[in-house]
Amino acid sequence: MRSPVLPLTWHLARSSGKRGLQSHLLSAAAAAAGALVLLTLLAAYLGSGTRADRTAWRTPDAVSAKQATAVQTLGTTYVNHHPVTVVSLAQLPDRPTTPAPPGLDRFPSPGRTFLSPALAKLMRELPAKRLADRFPTKADYGTIGEAGLAAPEELVAVIGRTPTDPAITHAARGSALDTLAARARVDDFTGARPSMFTSFDQQAAVLGGALLVVPVIVLASAAGRLGAARREQRLAALRLAGATPRQILAMTGAESAAVGLAGGLLGAVAYTLLLPVLARVPYGIGTWYAGQLWVGLPWLLAVVALVAVLTSVSAATTLRGVARSPLGVAQQADPRRTKLIRLVLFVAIGLYVTMTAHGGGLTAGQSLALIVLVYGAFWTLGPWVVDMLGRLLSHFARRPATLLAARRLSDDPRGAWRTVSGLVLAGLVAGFFTVGQVGLVGYDYPQQVAIRAEHGKPRELAAQARELLAEAGVRASVETPDADAWDGILNGDRGVVVRVRGGQEQLDTASTALSALSPGNLPFTQDYVNAEGDTTTRLIGEMGLAVLALGFLVAAASAGLTAAATVLDRRRVYGLLRLAGTPLKVLDRARMRETALPLVVLAGGTTATGIYAGMKVNEMFHLEPDASGAVRLALCVGLGTLTMFAALAGSRPLLRKVTAERAQDPD
C-alpha cells in the first residue's frame, strides 16, 4: 500500500495559503543565508590552501648533486613596506633541461627576467632608482602567470643567471629562523614549503571559521524552526485525527528538507554569482583569483545537503510536544519551560575550559575545541536565562508592553533566545578581538638598511656603500658593527649598516643603490626582520575584522528572519489583542522589549567573557591595555545593537498587516 505521507504533506503545503507560503519563504531565506556563509567560510579555507601551494615552488627542495639540473636561490627585498620575492635560477651545464617554474612558459635563460603583473606595474609607477634598478632587465621582460602567484597584488621576480654568477654562488642559504632566503640544487619545482607570507593563511581561516561556524549552523538550522508554532498546531490536529508519531515525523522531515534544499540551492547560486565580489576582499598578501575561491561541485552539493539535513533535523526536534501531548499543543497549554540542568552544564563546561586553558600547551585542534565548547555553553544557558528573566519581569512589570514581553519570554524562552543568539555569540568575538592585542612584538630599527658581508670584508663594503649612496643622492651614514653586536639589525652577522636620513622614498632608494653591493645578499630593513610577526599580526587582525563583520551580518539575518516568522506564528494572538483594544504601538514595544531585555543581559555576559579572554592574551604577551580597544568595542556594540533593531523594525509592516486582519483563521 502506498504511503499517504508525501501526498498529504504536499496537499497541506499547497493548502496552507499565503501565510504558509510566507513561512516557507522565510525558512528558505534562512537556509540560503546559512549556505552562503558556510560556502564562503569553506572557500576561504580551501582557497588559503591553494594560495600556499602556489608559493611552494619558490623555496627550493635540495636534491643530490648527481640528480640536480639547476641551482635555485630565494631572496626577499622590500619596497614601500611591501615584500618583493626574488627567485634566481641557473641551468647547470651538461644536464637535462629543467622544467619551467609554475607561471612561466619556459625556464629563464641567463639575463632573462620574468615579473608578476603587479611588480611590472609598480616598476613603471616608481622612479627607476627606487625599484627597477634592482633588477638586471628594465624592459623586455616576461610575465609570471596566475599559476605561479598567490594573489594578483603579489610582487615576484624570476631572474635567469649563469651557474657561476656571484648572485648564485654567494647567495644566502637561509635557516629555520630566516625562511625568506634559500639556495639549493634542484631538478624540478615541486616544493612542499609554502612562502612565509602564505603559510599561516589557512590556520587563520580555520580559527575564523571556528568562531563563526556555530552561529552559522544555528542560522541554517533555524530554517527548520521558523513557523514552528503554526506547524505544531497543524500536526497536533493530525495526531488527534489518528496520525502516528512516525507519520508526523516523516511529514515534517519531508517538508523541511524540501524547504532547506531549495534554500541551500539558492545560497549556492548566490555564492557562485558573488565569486567575483568575494575575490576582491583582501586577505593576507592581497586579494584572490576567483578560481581560488571556487570550492568545486562536490563540496557545493555537500553544503547544500548539509543545510537540508540541518533544516530537517531542527524541525523534527520541535515535535516532542506534538508526539507527547497533541491536545495540549492544540489548546496552546504547553509552556516551554527550561530546566536547571542547563545552568549546571554551563558551570561544568566553564570550569573545564578554564582549567584546560590555564594549563597551556594547547594544540590548534584543542584550542578550536575549547572555542566550540564555550559557544555550546552559552547556547545551553541562553534559554534558561531568558526563561528566568521572563518570570522575574512578570513580577515587577508596571507597563503593559513590559508585561506582554515578560509573558512571551517565559512562554517561549527558546524562541526568544533564537532571535538574539546571533548577536549574543558575536559579542564574545567582539569582546576578544577589540581588547586582545593578538600578535608578535617586532624589533625597531627605523631608517636602517643592512647588508650581510658573508663573502667580503665589511670595511671595504662600507667604502663602496658610501660611493653608491653618494651617486644615488642618498644622505646616510655607514657603519660596520662589531661581530658580537647581537642587539642590532644584523643580529651578530658581519656586514654593513646604513642609517638613512629621509623618508621611505630615501630608504627604498638606498636599498636599490646597494642591491649589487654584496652579490647574493639583498639589502634588508626592519620590514625583513619583522616579516613573520607583521604577517601573523596582520592576518589575525584581518581575520578578526572579517569574523566581526560576518558575525553581525549573520546576527542581523537571524534576528530579522526569526522576528518575521514570529509575527506570522503569533498572528492570531496579535489579532485578538488588537480586537480587544490593545494599541499597535504597545504590541510593537512588547516585541522590542522581548528582544532588548535578554540581549542586554546575555550579550553583556558574552562580551565580558570575550574581554576577559582578550585581557589574558594581553598578559601572555606582556602588553598593556590599549585605549583604542575600548573605542572599537563601543563601536562594535553600538553597531551590532543598531543592526539588530533595524532587522526587527523590518518586520513592523508585517505586524501592522497581520493585526489589521479582522477575520482570524481557525488555526
Side-chain angles (χ1 to χ4, degrees):
M1 182 178 175
R2 183 181 178 185
S3 173
V5 171
L6 291 180
L8 183 57
T9 302
W10 174 242
H11 171 73
L12 291 175
R14 291 182 60 189
S15 61
S16 59
K18 183 178 179 181
R19 298 305 177 204
L21 177 62
Q22 289 174 334
S23 294
H24 288 152
L25 290 177
L26 288 173
S27 297
L36 175 60
V37 180
L38 281 175
L39 285 169
T40 302
L41 295 177
L42 181 61
Y45 171 76
L46 297 177
S48 298
T50 303
R51 268 183 162 187
D53 292 341
R54 288 188 178 181
T55 64
W57 66 271
R58 303 170 197 168
T59 305
D61 277 346
V63 297
S64 63
K66 183 178 180 180
Q67 183 181 352
T69 61
V71 179
Q72 177 182 355
T73 71
L74 170 68
T76 306
T77 184
Y78 276 80
V79 58
N80 198 23
H81 303 295
H82 295 293
V84 181
T85 302
V86 182
V87 178
S88 294
L89 298 171
Q91 174 70 39
L92 293 175
D94 303 324
R95 298 293 175 92
T97 303
T98 309
L104 275 65
D105 56 0
R106 60 187 179 278
F107 190 91
S109 57
R112 179 70 168 165
T113 301
F114 290 81
L115 305 176
S116 65
L119 180 56
K121 179 182 178 183
L122 191 62
M123 286 174 59
R124 292 191 297 268
E125 294 174 351
L126 295 179
K129 65 178 183 179
R130 190 173 177 184
L131 177 60
D133 288 347
R134 303 183 191 187
F135 306 102
T137 304
K138 303 179 182 60
D140 190 28
Y141 44 76
T143 301
I144 303 175
E146 178 182 333
L149 300 173
E153 297 85 0
E154 200 176 16
L155 308 178
V156 182
V158 179
I159 303 173
R161 300 184 185 275
T162 62
T164 57
D165 191 322
I168 295 290
T169 58
H170 293 171
R173 294 183 179 273
S175 64
L177 299 177
D178 183 9
T179 59
L180 298 181
R183 175 167 66 92
R185 296 184 179 92
V186 298
D187 62 349
D188 57 26
F189 299 97
T190 56
R193 290 179 293 168
S195 166
M196 187 269 292
F197 300 111
T198 59
S199 59
F200 187 61
D201 288 10
Q202 198 167 42
Q203 298 177 42
V206 170
L207 177 59
L211 293 171
L212 277 175
V213 69
V214 174
V216 173
I217 289 178
V218 167
L219 173 61
S221 61
R225 296 179 179 270
L226 297 182
R230 186 175 187 279
R231 184 192 305 122
E232 288 179 357
Q233 291 290 311
R234 185 181 63 195
L235 295 177
L238 290 175
R239 280 281 290 126
L240 292 173
T244 65
R246 180 175 297 180
Q247 289 173 329
I248 294 298
L249 183 64
M251 292 173 61
T252 301
E255 180 184 4
S256 301
V259 173
L261 184 62
L265 289 173
L266 181 61
V269 171
Y271 155 76
T272 304
L273 296 177
L274 288 174
L275 272 179
V277 179
L278 295 175
R280 298 180 66 85
V281 177
Y283 178 68
I285 203 166
T287 58
W288 307 77
Y289 292 106
Q292 294 172 337
L293 294 177
W294 172 244
V295 299
L297 188 59
W299 277 112
L300 194 75
L301 296 178
V303 170
V304 171
L306 174 64
V307 170
V309 170
L310 286 174
T311 304
S312 180
V313 171
S314 178
T317 58
T318 65
L319 299 180
R320 287 179 298 177
V322 176
R324 183 181 66 251
S325 178
L327 185 59
V329 173
Q331 294 178 343
Q332 297 183 348
D334 185 24
R336 297 168 172 83
R337 297 300 186 188
T338 57
K339 297 181 180 180
L340 188 62
I341 187 63
R342 291 176 176 268
L343 178 61
V344 175
L345 287 174
F346 176 81
V347 173
I349 294 174
L351 290 175
Y352 173 78
V353 170
T354 302
M355 290 187 296
T356 304
H358 183 72
L362 298 176
T363 64
Q366 292 172 330
S367 300
L368 295 180
L370 289 182
I371 292 173
V372 175
L373 273 179
V374 171
Y375 272 138
F378 279 104
W379 185 260
T380 302
L381 181 68
W384 184 83
V385 173
V386 173
D387 192 3
M388 295 300 104
L389 184 62
R391 297 186 192 186
L392 183 64
L393 286 175
S394 63
H395 290 292
F396 298 99
R398 295 293 180 268
R399 296 181 180 276
T402 306
L403 182 60
L404 284 173
R407 183 62 184 270
R408 294 308 307 171
L409 289 176
S410 59
D411 280 352
D412 188 12
R414 295 176 183 85
W417 160 248
R418 285 193 294 271
T419 302
V420 301
S421 60
L423 189 58
V424 169
L425 297 179
L428 182 68
V429 181
F432 178 78
F433 280 104
T434 53
V435 175
Q437 303 175 55
V438 184
L440 302 176
V441 180
Y443 299 96
D444 191 20
Y445 305 116
Q447 299 303 112
Q448 296 184 35
V449 180
I451 308 96
R452 292 189 177 92
E454 296 185 7
H455 299 277
K457 297 180 179 179
R459 294 189 180 278
E460 294 180 359
L461 293 180
Q464 298 175 25
R466 293 186 182 94
E467 297 178 1
L468 293 172
L469 293 171
E471 293 177 3
V474 177
R475 298 176 58 194
S477 60
V478 182
E479 305 172 357
T480 54
D482 296 334
D484 57 352
W486 295 95
D487 58 345
I489 189 172
L490 285 171
N491 196 29
D493 291 337
R494 299 169 61 248
V496 175
V497 175
V498 177
R499 299 181 183 273
V500 179
R501 291 187 288 273
Q504 184 61 40
E505 182 177 351
Q506 288 292 300
L507 199 66
D508 291 339
T509 303
S511 296
T512 303
L514 301 173
S515 58
L517 180 64
S518 179
N521 294 276
L522 296 174
F524 62 93
T525 63
Q526 67 176 2
D527 292 324
Y528 185 99
V529 177
N530 297 324
E532 184 174 5
D534 290 346
T535 300
T536 303
T537 303
R538 184 178 64 253
L539 266 178
I540 294 177
E542 291 176 353
M543 183 270 297
L545 181 62
V547 167
L548 285 175
L550 283 175
F552 284 134
L553 287 176
V554 169
S558 180
L561 292 170
T562 304
T566 302
V567 170
L568 293 177
D569 280 345
R570 300 177 185 171
R571 73 182 191 281
R572 184 172 181 273
V573 176
Y574 284 143
L576 292 175
L577 286 171
R578 286 287 287 132
L579 290 173
T582 306
L584 180 63
K585 187 178 296 185
V586 173
L587 296 179
D588 194 42
R589 287 175 181 172
R591 281 196 326 129
M592 292 297 179
R593 293 176 188 180
E594 182 183 341
T595 300
L597 294 173
L599 183 63
V600 170
V601 175
L602 290 166
T606 55
T607 303
T609 303
I611 292 174
Y612 176 78
M615 293 176 64
K616 288 298 181 182
V617 169
N618 291 344
E619 291 179 6
M620 185 186 306
F621 288 98
H622 305 290
L623 298 174
E624 295 294 330
D626 187 2
S628 63
V631 176
R632 292 194 300 270
L633 178 60
L635 289 175
C636 287
V637 171
L639 179 62
T641 304
L642 289 176
T643 303
M644 173 69 69
F645 285 103
L648 291 175
S651 59
R652 187 174 295 157
L654 182 61
L655 175 65
R656 186 180 299 111
K657 185 175 181 180
V658 164
T659 55
E661 297 175 354
R662 298 298 179 182
Q664 297 298 321
D665 296 335
D667 60 350

